[in-house]
Amino acid sequence: MKHYSNKVKKIVYGGDYNPEQWPEEIWPEDMRLLKGAGVDIVTLNVFSWAAIQPSEDEYDFSKLDKIMEMVRKNGLYVCLATSTGAHPAWMAKRHPDVLRTDFEGRKHKFGFRHNSCPNSPAYHKYSVRIAKKLAERYKDYDNIVAWHISNEYGGECYCENCEKAFRLWLKEKYGTLEALNRAWNTSFWGHTFYDWDEIVLPNALSEHFEYNRTVFQGITLDYRRFNSDSILNCYRMEYDAVKEITPEIPVTTNLMGFYPQLDYQKWGKYMDVISWDNYPTCDATPAQIAMTHDIMRGVGGGKPFLLMEQTPGVSNWHSFCALKRPGVMRLWSYQAVAHGADSVMFFQMRRSIGACEKYHSAVIDHVGNDKTRVYREVAALGRELEKLGEATLGAVTEAKAAIYFDWDNWWALNCTAGPSADLDYLGEVRNYYQALYELNIPIDFVGAEDELDHYQIVIAPLLYMTKPGYDEKIRRFVASGGTFVTTYFSGIVDEHDLVITGGYPGRLRDILGIWAEEIDALPPDRENAFTYRGQVYPARLLCDLIHPEGAESLGGYHKDFYAQMPAVTVNTFGKGRAYYVATRSNEAFYRAFLGDICKECGVEPLHDSVEGLEITVRENELGRYLFFLNHNENAVRTILKDDMMDILTNERYKSGAELEINSRDVKIMKYIR
Ligand code: GLA
Ligand code: ZN
């Protein structure tokens, strides 16, 4: 079967294990408890750089050797980290260039983690060196199933090395200062640059008055791209170092969902398999978690991914660390699998006794035995995954509907300076996602470079930035029969955040058949309303004042001087249709609107909707599976439409039979063909 590793034949189960933080006498007990819980993979060496490299030219692998041996003897797989997520203290002292300078311009001292400057020559040198040494030393361990480069890359740096690197990055991108001055519109506020060295990083000391409030969006956008690229470069250097020695071992680094600082769509191209860490806040809805899994699958081009971390019970770093209720860990583990995960992994195996994660739960708690609720739940899931075997491995989700998401667009919207401080890209994406989710329509996330041909519906909420050629992609998609949906404040700027003149929505105008003449921002306490198919819905946040130019109005605003102007339009373009929603509305609207569109396009729900019952699909050569995840505190029932088998219990059901799913329970139903 085609999946990330030909070594594994089931959903691997385990996670971060830090035996180096414990006396060796305890290790055999760890092995006993972990195996008792069905753990078959451990992520090792995540924060051991200081332990392995005590000084400039001294390396000591003796402890890691022992750990690797023990783990192999116990038949466990390894996800081997390169340890470069936190540099050693001696390195910060000897090579201060590894330390970051923050947004306020403060040079940091040693401390914390994820604190290395991505353009530090010393960091480059030593991180690549240790990655290489690890690969050379452990290359013959055939239980290593993945390389885990660094850990949760992120943040930013504004030091002098980064500033110099920024200038080189710009030179490479623009070639000439004329081109750069044009792209940044530097004739505004007398910013013309005559020498590359005049360019400084945009932060609190230069162009910004808040993190997301800048007077030159073009400069800030380029810095965001540059910073993401710089950190990606660190990852790629280590990637190359391990790949050279162990070309057959897949390489990953753990991503963080909708993480604002890194353009994961760019990163995904350099990862053999996507992996990510799922730590929803306690108020996160199941749809929000589902959406994050889907963006992670999307940045990997739709391939299955690894759930690298989640807490088995409680996290320590939220303001209020609520326990995962009984059954929730299992439910969320399967939710990850339902959206494409081929692993279920935790942070962490044994709960630490000191520093900030001592109240973060683990498979083995401070009490140190197998008598805890968390351990029992982990062990029960371990047995189930054993039973599930390879059934779902490598299975993909075929979606007919896609949502466009783009990091550059996110950055641009975050710092646009108008028309509303409450513009919320992620929130708007969530509105559309949630409606489809509740309709049981599988959703893919696509980025600017992904193909659209195999979708019937593409939704691009707040497509503020149209990148070069993207309008053409949409034009082709719609002309050949696709349905395209976009919203207010779309088509406004190009990739430099320069307004596309000639009327909004710019290059999308012919596809949508409208001209948006003005944009009215409504403060939080004011709203308008509009009618759509006989129903009245609220209009919030922004109202575009649009004139149809071929499009048909599906309903107009109720109030104000633009009463009767269209709030929702549809335009026939070639064989397809393009919708424009000129304002922000409520859940009821998105559900009705997208329900109509899906019907019109013949995009069928996977199953009837039942509140709180999430339904997804995955398919591989072994079968097609529907996942039923009951997020409710009560049992729910639904009628099956096909002959199916519950692959966790082997129970068979006839088409028309009732399926009962208990509170927080999961059914993985295989179609019987
Ligand atoms: C992140 C990190 C882990 C750990 C967990 C705690 O995901 O990767 O090292 O700190 O958070 O939730
Ligand atoms: Zn730096």
mmCIF file of all heavy atoms in Angstrom, residues 8 32-33 45 93-94 203 212 219 232 262 363 377 412 426 482 504 507 527 550:
data_model
loop_
_atom_site.group_PDB
_atom_site.id
_atom_site.type_symbol
_atom_site.label_atom_id
_atom_site.label_comp_id
_atom_site.label_asym_id
_atom_site.label_seq_id
_atom_site.Cartn_x
_atom_site.Cartn_y
_atom_site.Cartn_z
ATOM 1 N N VAL A 8 5.730 0.341 8.099
ATOM 2 C CA VAL A 8 4.645 0.180 9.069
ATOM 3 C C VAL A 8 3.396 -0.389 8.414
ATOM 4 O O VAL A 8 3.110 -0.131 7.248
ATOM 5 C CB VAL A 8 4.299 1.503 9.784
ATOM 6 C CG1 VAL A 8 5.529 2.109 10.427
ATOM 7 C CG2 VAL A 8 3.676 2.490 8.831
ATOM 8 N N ARG A 32 7.829 -1.224 29.757
ATOM 9 C CA ARG A 32 6.729 -2.116 30.135
ATOM 10 C C ARG A 32 5.385 -1.387 30.022
ATOM 11 O O ARG A 32 4.444 -1.884 29.411
ATOM 12 C CB ARG A 32 6.941 -2.599 31.581
ATOM 13 C CG ARG A 32 5.987 -3.682 32.027
ATOM 14 C CD ARG A 32 6.150 -4.029 33.504
ATOM 15 N NE ARG A 32 5.621 -2.990 34.391
ATOM 16 C CZ ARG A 32 4.332 -2.816 34.670
ATOM 17 N NH1 ARG A 32 3.433 -3.608 34.129
ATOM 18 N NH2 ARG A 32 3.938 -1.855 35.499
ATOM 19 N N LEU A 33 5.343 -0.175 30.564
ATOM 20 C CA LEU A 33 4.074 0.562 30.552
ATOM 21 C C LEU A 33 3.676 0.980 29.134
ATOM 22 O O LEU A 33 2.509 0.906 28.759
ATOM 23 C CB LEU A 33 4.170 1.791 31.461
ATOM 24 C CG LEU A 33 4.187 1.485 32.962
ATOM 25 C CD1 LEU A 33 4.589 2.722 33.763
ATOM 26 C CD2 LEU A 33 2.825 0.972 33.421
ATOM 27 N N ASN A 45 14.700 12.384 21.100
ATOM 28 C CA ASN A 45 15.779 13.346 20.865
ATOM 29 C C ASN A 45 15.291 14.751 20.486
ATOM 30 O O ASN A 45 16.019 15.503 19.865
ATOM 31 C CB ASN A 45 16.675 12.793 19.735
ATOM 32 C CG ASN A 45 18.052 13.401 19.724
ATOM 33 O OD1 ASN A 45 18.667 13.552 20.786
ATOM 34 N ND2 ASN A 45 18.537 13.778 18.555
ATOM 35 N N LYS A 93 26.376 31.724 24.146
ATOM 36 C CA LYS A 93 27.439 32.535 24.743
ATOM 37 C C LYS A 93 28.575 32.760 23.737
ATOM 38 O O LYS A 93 29.055 33.868 23.545
ATOM 39 C CB LYS A 93 27.953 31.824 25.992
ATOM 40 C CG LYS A 93 28.992 32.608 26.737
ATOM 41 C CD LYS A 93 29.204 32.043 28.124
ATOM 42 C CE LYS A 93 30.371 32.759 28.764
ATOM 43 N NZ LYS A 93 31.429 31.831 29.151
ATOM 44 N N ARG A 94 28.982 31.678 23.097
ATOM 45 C CA ARG A 94 30.115 31.793 22.166
ATOM 46 C C ARG A 94 29.757 32.402 20.835
ATOM 47 O O ARG A 94 30.591 33.020 20.175
ATOM 48 C CB ARG A 94 30.694 30.396 21.905
ATOM 49 C CG ARG A 94 31.695 30.062 22.948
ATOM 50 C CD ARG A 94 32.596 29.000 22.517
ATOM 51 N NE ARG A 94 33.640 29.350 21.570
ATOM 52 C CZ ARG A 94 34.677 28.576 21.414
ATOM 53 N NH1 ARG A 94 34.794 27.486 22.132
ATOM 54 N NH2 ARG A 94 35.591 28.882 20.520
ATOM 55 N N ASN A 203 9.645 46.710 11.434
ATOM 56 C CA ASN A 203 9.181 46.304 12.771
ATOM 57 C C ASN A 203 8.832 47.547 13.578
ATOM 58 O O ASN A 203 8.635 48.626 13.001
ATOM 59 C CB ASN A 203 10.228 45.424 13.473
ATOM 60 C CG ASN A 203 11.507 46.158 13.809
ATOM 61 O OD1 ASN A 203 11.650 47.356 13.505
ATOM 62 N ND2 ASN A 203 12.435 45.466 14.432
ATOM 63 N N ASN A 212 0.505 43.988 13.586
ATOM 64 C CA ASN A 212 -0.141 43.868 12.274
ATOM 65 C C ASN A 212 -0.484 45.211 11.657
ATOM 66 O O ASN A 212 -1.239 45.274 10.703
ATOM 67 C CB ASN A 212 -1.412 43.016 12.383
ATOM 68 C CG ASN A 212 -1.104 41.542 12.174
ATOM 69 O OD1 ASN A 212 -0.212 41.189 11.405
ATOM 70 N ND2 ASN A 212 -1.818 40.693 12.873
ATOM 71 N N ILE A 219 6.194 46.218 2.123
ATOM 72 C CA ILE A 219 7.447 45.852 2.804
ATOM 73 C C ILE A 219 7.164 44.744 3.821
ATOM 74 O O ILE A 219 7.890 43.749 3.912
ATOM 75 C CB ILE A 219 8.079 47.078 3.512
ATOM 76 C CG1 ILE A 219 8.270 48.232 2.521
ATOM 77 C CG2 ILE A 219 9.406 46.687 4.158
ATOM 78 C CD1 ILE A 219 8.927 49.470 3.116
ATOM 79 N N LEU A 232 12.330 28.163 6.569
ATOM 80 C CA LEU A 232 12.236 26.998 5.680
ATOM 81 C C LEU A 232 13.633 26.566 5.223
ATOM 82 O O LEU A 232 13.933 25.371 5.127
ATOM 83 C CB LEU A 232 11.354 27.330 4.468
ATOM 84 C CG LEU A 232 11.226 26.274 3.365
ATOM 85 C CD1 LEU A 232 10.676 24.954 3.905
ATOM 86 C CD2 LEU A 232 10.329 26.778 2.224
ATOM 87 N N LEU A 262 4.263 31.099 9.214
ATOM 88 C CA LEU A 262 4.937 30.317 8.176
ATOM 89 C C LEU A 262 3.964 29.939 7.069
ATOM 90 O O LEU A 262 2.859 29.474 7.340
ATOM 91 C CB LEU A 262 5.552 29.043 8.769
ATOM 92 C CG LEU A 262 6.554 29.248 9.912
ATOM 93 C CD1 LEU A 262 7.053 27.900 10.419
ATOM 94 C CD2 LEU A 262 7.739 30.115 9.486
ATOM 95 N N VAL A 363 1.161 9.785 28.908
ATOM 96 C CA VAL A 363 0.644 8.415 29.019
ATOM 97 C C VAL A 363 0.939 7.887 30.429
ATOM 98 O O VAL A 363 0.097 7.285 31.078
ATOM 99 C CB VAL A 363 1.284 7.516 27.935
ATOM 100 C CG1 VAL A 363 0.852 6.063 28.105
ATOM 101 C CG2 VAL A 363 0.924 8.040 26.547
ATOM 102 N N GLU A 377 -7.430 4.846 29.088
ATOM 103 C CA GLU A 377 -8.007 5.260 27.801
ATOM 104 C C GLU A 377 -6.990 5.090 26.672
ATOM 105 O O GLU A 377 -7.328 4.680 25.567
ATOM 106 C CB GLU A 377 -8.491 6.713 27.870
ATOM 107 C CG GLU A 377 -9.744 6.875 28.704
ATOM 108 C CD GLU A 377 -10.416 8.241 28.531
ATOM 109 O OE1 GLU A 377 -10.364 8.813 27.427
ATOM 110 O OE2 GLU A 377 -10.974 8.741 29.526
ATOM 111 N N ALA A 412 -1.770 39.765 4.002
ATOM 112 C CA ALA A 412 -2.200 41.045 3.436
ATOM 113 C C ALA A 412 -3.462 41.539 4.138
ATOM 114 O O ALA A 412 -3.567 42.723 4.489
ATOM 115 C CB ALA A 412 -2.444 40.893 1.938
ATOM 116 N N LEU A 426 -9.583 34.126 8.636
ATOM 117 C CA LEU A 426 -9.818 32.777 9.146
ATOM 118 C C LEU A 426 -11.291 32.588 9.522
ATOM 119 O O LEU A 426 -11.892 31.545 9.253
ATOM 120 C CB LEU A 426 -8.941 32.573 10.381
ATOM 121 C CG LEU A 426 -8.298 31.223 10.549
ATOM 122 C CD1 LEU A 426 -7.613 30.769 9.289
ATOM 123 C CD2 LEU A 426 -7.292 31.276 11.695
ATOM 124 N N GLY A 482 -17.189 24.865 -13.841
ATOM 125 C CA GLY A 482 -17.074 24.913 -12.379
ATOM 126 C C GLY A 482 -17.936 26.005 -11.764
ATOM 127 O O GLY A 482 -18.364 26.943 -12.436
ATOM 128 N N TYR A 504 -13.228 47.489 -8.747
ATOM 129 C CA TYR A 504 -13.228 46.219 -7.998
ATOM 130 C C TYR A 504 -14.314 45.315 -8.575
ATOM 131 O O TYR A 504 -15.324 45.831 -9.025
ATOM 132 C CB TYR A 504 -13.560 46.448 -6.518
ATOM 133 C CG TYR A 504 -12.832 47.567 -5.844
ATOM 134 C CD1 TYR A 504 -13.515 48.418 -4.949
ATOM 135 C CD2 TYR A 504 -11.479 47.792 -6.079
ATOM 136 C CE1 TYR A 504 -12.862 49.451 -4.302
ATOM 137 C CE2 TYR A 504 -10.820 48.840 -5.437
ATOM 138 C CZ TYR A 504 -11.525 49.665 -4.550
ATOM 139 O OH TYR A 504 -10.885 50.685 -3.925
ATOM 140 N N ARG A 507 -9.405 41.892 -11.479
ATOM 141 C CA ARG A 507 -9.315 40.894 -12.568
ATOM 142 C C ARG A 507 -10.437 39.867 -12.512
ATOM 143 O O ARG A 507 -10.559 39.021 -13.384
ATOM 144 C CB ARG A 507 -7.971 40.169 -12.495
ATOM 145 C CG ARG A 507 -6.784 41.083 -12.684
ATOM 146 C CD ARG A 507 -5.487 40.295 -12.461
ATOM 147 N NE ARG A 507 -4.353 41.205 -12.413
ATOM 148 C CZ ARG A 507 -3.357 41.113 -11.526
ATOM 149 N NH1 ARG A 507 -3.362 40.143 -10.630
ATOM 150 N NH2 ARG A 507 -2.370 41.974 -11.553
ATOM 151 N N GLU A 527 -25.953 46.674 11.867
ATOM 152 C CA GLU A 527 -26.036 45.744 10.758
ATOM 153 C C GLU A 527 -27.119 46.150 9.778
ATOM 154 O O GLU A 527 -28.013 46.923 10.091
ATOM 155 C CB GLU A 527 -26.206 44.290 11.223
ATOM 156 C CG GLU A 527 -27.335 43.977 12.159
ATOM 157 C CD GLU A 527 -27.387 42.474 12.522
ATOM 158 O OE1 GLU A 527 -26.378 41.920 12.991
ATOM 159 O OE2 GLU A 527 -28.458 41.876 12.326
ATOM 160 N N GLY A 550 -23.996 42.028 -15.940
ATOM 161 C CA GLY A 550 -24.248 40.703 -16.518
ATOM 162 C C GLY A 550 -24.716 39.731 -15.461
ATOM 163 O O GLY A 550 -25.421 38.774 -15.760
#
